[in-house]
Amino acid sequence: MLDIKYIKEKESLISKLEDFNSLRELVGSNKTSGVYFKQTADFDLEGSADNLWTPIGSEANNFQGIYDGGNHVIKNMWISTNGYAGFFAFVKSATIKNLTFEGGCVNASSVSYVGALVGRSLSDVTIENVSNIGCDIVGKNNHIGGIIGNYYGDATHAIKIISCANSG
């Protein structure tokens, strides 16, 4: 489990699948603002209709840190939800970089705000060097994208999307 005291002093390493549950808990208690998380391995989530990924965060408790995927891959993520859908459900004032998604499916056919990486984002978000390769994205109506579903900001709170790719 990720140690809250440790993450305030240094970077927090995501080195095993269980660390994602700890990250989800930290986001749920609004303890990620400005914290640096680094993924240190590739992960196969072995997703299916019977093995679903629970998106990290919510509108009330959103990811606000820095997530560096370390140029690693997350494979076979499957999501089926009635809320914001993506690896991160909702991010605010966050940076996410150096991560690739391969295969899987994000199915939120009854809602909007759907993407492989982020369902919805708000205020000063940077997405850099993120790719989605063959992860199918399904949503309703609008705010659906291969990497990010929706961004809301203004002239002083902008999003930066740098060197990202979506294919398949």
Side-chain angles (χ1 to χ4, degrees):
M1 176 150 185
L2 298 173
D3 182 353
I4 293 172
K5 180 181 177 202
Y6 179 74
I7 66 172
K8 289 184 178 179
E9 296 171 1
K10 297 184 176 186
E11 69 183 33
S12 185
L13 302 179
I14 306 289
S15 59
K16 54 191 179 300
L17 282 173
E18 295 80 25
D19 291 338
F20 289 121
N21 290 329
S22 297
L23 175 58
R24 192 176 286 107
E25 289 173 22
L26 290 170
V27 173
S29 58
N30 285 319
K31 295 184 178 175
T32 59
S33 182
V35 177
Y36 181 85
F37 298 89
K38 177 134 186 193
Q39 184 174 322
T40 61
D42 294 340
F43 292 103
D44 187 341
L45 301 180
E46 299 178 2
S48 69
D50 297 321
N51 186 23
L52 299 173
W53 173 258
T54 301
I56 296 171
S58 66
E59 188 167 9
N61 300 301
N62 42 70
F63 180 75
Q64 297 183 27
I66 301 160
Y67 189 92
D68 183 347
N71 295 312
H72 289 286
V73 177
I74 294 177
K75 295 180 181 177
N76 302 312
M77 174 181 69
W78 282 70
I79 298 172
S80 181
T81 182
N82 290 323
Y84 300 122
F87 183 76
F88 291 98
F90 198 111
V91 301
K92 179 180 177 184
S93 302
T95 297
I96 304 169
K97 60 186 178 179
N98 305 324
L99 186 59
T100 297
F101 293 91
E102 286 183 6
C105 178
V106 180
N107 184 352
S109 58
S110 63
V111 296
S112 299
Y113 306 106
V114 183
L117 176 65
V118 174
R120 186 156 193 223
S121 61
L122 178 68
S123 239
D124 297 324
V125 173
T126 299
I127 309 292
E128 182 174 3
N129 193 33
V130 174
S131 298
N132 173 23
I133 303 169
C135 178
D136 296 330
I137 310 296
V138 179
K140 180 180 179 180
N141 297 332
N142 51 23
H143 306 293
I144 301 160
I147 294 175
I148 186 169
N150 172 267
Y151 171 76
Y152 180 79
D154 56 35
T156 59
H157 301 287
I159 188 170
K160 296 176 190 166
I161 299 176
I162 305 163
S163 300
C164 294
N166 181 62
S167 65

